[in-house]
Amino acid sequence: MRKIFILSLTFLFVLTLSPFTQADEIKIGACIYRFNDAFMLRFRNAMSAESEKAGAKIEIADGQDDQTTQNDQIDAFIADGVNVLIVNPVDRMASQPIIDKAKAANIPVVFINREPTAEMLNSYEKAYYIGAKAEESGTQSGELIAEYFKAHPEADKNHDGKLQFILLKGQNGHQDMILRSKYSVEAIKAAGIEPVEIASAIANWDKLQAMNIMNAFAMAIGPENIEAVIANNDEMALGAVEALKNSDYNKGDKDFYIPVVGVDANASALEAMDKGEMLGTVLNDADNQGIAAVKLAVALASGGDVNAIGYDITDSKYIWIPYQKVTRGENK
Ligand code: GAL
Ligand code: CA
């Protein structure tokens, strides 16, 4: 009897003092800026699958593109006693209060997809960011267009040696909107082609908005005067493709074709590429970003070694997942 008592006391003691938490006790509170986003859906699926694999519990909240809603969700997760937060902020510039709350509760926080400033991340040693380098995707999508333009002299519809393009941009202030827009155009210049922006608009990553905008542009400018469409993501590229099809472009006839590029490599974009409706895209690796986010979260919550999760951590803060060009060989 006495022996059992001592044994169970020891057991209790070990349980309370151990800095390590078993994976099956870990609760992850994850916040996504908006569920209705094709790329973030892939991201969510990757995180759910990896959590199941790790035996951790994950709860994912839909911020509905509203920072106030998301802040409430973060408060609720903290009150609920989650061991770690994964946050895809609605407004990346509003990340500081989130970091402050996590710090006050001593809960690690892993940001994904929308990058807080270095200053914000540096204000808490348990704050991290996992994403992909936006400039890299910009460069790669610009290269896709430049390669096509060089391989297809007929793509220079007005024979002026310059590339008249339309730019469709994601949400204002998003690093992927700013840097993809900039670097795609830089890559065209670097390839020795003079880019001429004939129109641009913000379409908030959204297919329908992009389609409406592109319909208006095609009407105003005339599709015969558009030599390329560069979209900050696939959904907007697909919206542009729909609009061009309304003008009887990009339906298979090479004389009525405008190269369109996006970013993400969502299944719907790959399908459009297979059908010859869209030129190319850049793989935004949701699987690896989601897996890395959960592995890092589990390591942080369990007192494990963050450097042993299989992903390089830069500056004790960042995990960068590389982008990759995807084409169907039309560039050759
Ligand atoms: C980007 C992605 C977009 C959109 C956005 C949301 O990385 O390319 O499609 O999902 O993130 O923040
Ligand atoms: Ca031209």
Side-chain angles (χ1 to χ4, degrees), residues 54-93:
K57 288 190 195 74
I58 190 166
E59 200 182 309
I60 311 183
D62 180 1
Q64 295 167 27
D65 213 5
D66 184 283
Q67 191 59 62
T68 312
T69 301
Q70 184 173 70
N71 290 343
D72 292 345
Q73 291 166 342
I74 288 168
D75 291 341
F77 276 142
I78 293 176
D80 203 36
V82 297
N83 305 103
V84 57
L85 288 163
I86 295 178
V87 181
N88 170 218
V90 175
D91 173 3
R92 68 193 184 99
M93 289 310 177

Side-chain angles (χ1 to χ4, degrees), residues 87-253:
V87 181
N88 170 218
V90 175
D91 173 3
R92 68 193 184 99
M93 289 310 177
S95 300
Q96 190 64 57
I98 299 171
I99 294 175
D100 294 344
K101 280 179 194 172
K103 191 175 178 180
N106 193 28
I107 298 171
V109 55
V110 177
F111 287 92
I112 53 168
N113 173 264
R114 296 175 162 218
E115 191 181 338
T117 63
E119 198 188 347
M120 294 176 190
L121 289 174
N122 286 331
S123 70
Y124 182 30
E125 55 161 355
K126 292 181 192 165
Y128 291 81
Y129 177 68
I130 294 177
K133 294 223 161 126
E135 55 270 41
E136 196 177 295
S137 50
T139 301
Q140 293 183 0
S141 67
E143 284 172 359
L144 289 174
I145 289 288
E147 284 158 19
Y148 179 85
F149 201 69
K150 283 185 172 172
H152 294 263
E154 75 280 7
D156 183 11
K157 296 190 166 80
N158 65 354
H159 312 287
D160 68 349
K162 303 173 189 174
L163 190 143
Q164 277 74 19
F165 71 96
I166 285 178
L167 182 63
L168 295 174
K169 305 193 233 179
Q171 272 177 308
N172 219 351
H174 194 305
Q175 81 278 345
D176 290 341
M177 174 273 200
I178 300 165
L179 297 170
R180 285 176 189 167
S181 298
K182 175 164 183 243
Y183 283 88
S184 52
V185 178
E186 290 297 323
I188 292 168
K189 281 188 208 155
I193 301 163
E194 188 181 325
V196 181
E197 182 185 291
I198 44 178
S200 82
I202 287 179
N204 297 306
W205 311 119
D206 187 76
K207 181 175 175 181
L208 191 65
Q209 286 184 41
M211 188 187 83
N212 290 333
I213 289 165
M214 195 63 206
N215 272 330
F217 283 162
M219 192 93 89
I221 299 163
E224 69 281 6
N225 298 314
I226 303 169
E227 295 179 346
V229 178
I230 301 170
N232 284 168
N233 78 342
D234 282 349
E235 284 296 294
M236 297 189 295
L238 289 169
V241 164
E242 282 311 307
L244 293 178
K245 283 161 81 180
N246 291 339
S247 308
D248 285 328
Y249 269 71
N250 292 37
K251 286 172 133 181
D253 185 339

Side-chain angles (χ1 to χ4, degrees), residues 268-329:
S268 46
L270 299 176
E271 256 167 55
M273 285 161 57
D274 286 336
K275 288 195 262 176
E277 297 172 352
M278 191 174 144
L279 175 67
T281 186
V282 175
L283 171 69
N284 193 0
D285 192 345
D287 285 345
N288 262 309
Q289 291 175 58
I291 291 168
V294 169
K295 285 201 158 148
L296 179 61
V298 168
L300 287 165
S302 60
D305 180 3
V306 294
N307 292 304
I309 62 170
Y311 292 90
D312 284 343
I313 301 185
T314 313
D315 298 334
S316 312
K317 288 283 170 213
Y318 300 95
I319 294 178
W320 297 113
I321 304 296
Y323 281 109
Q324 214 178 300
K325 276 188 235 179
V326 185
T327 58
R328 291 292 185 249

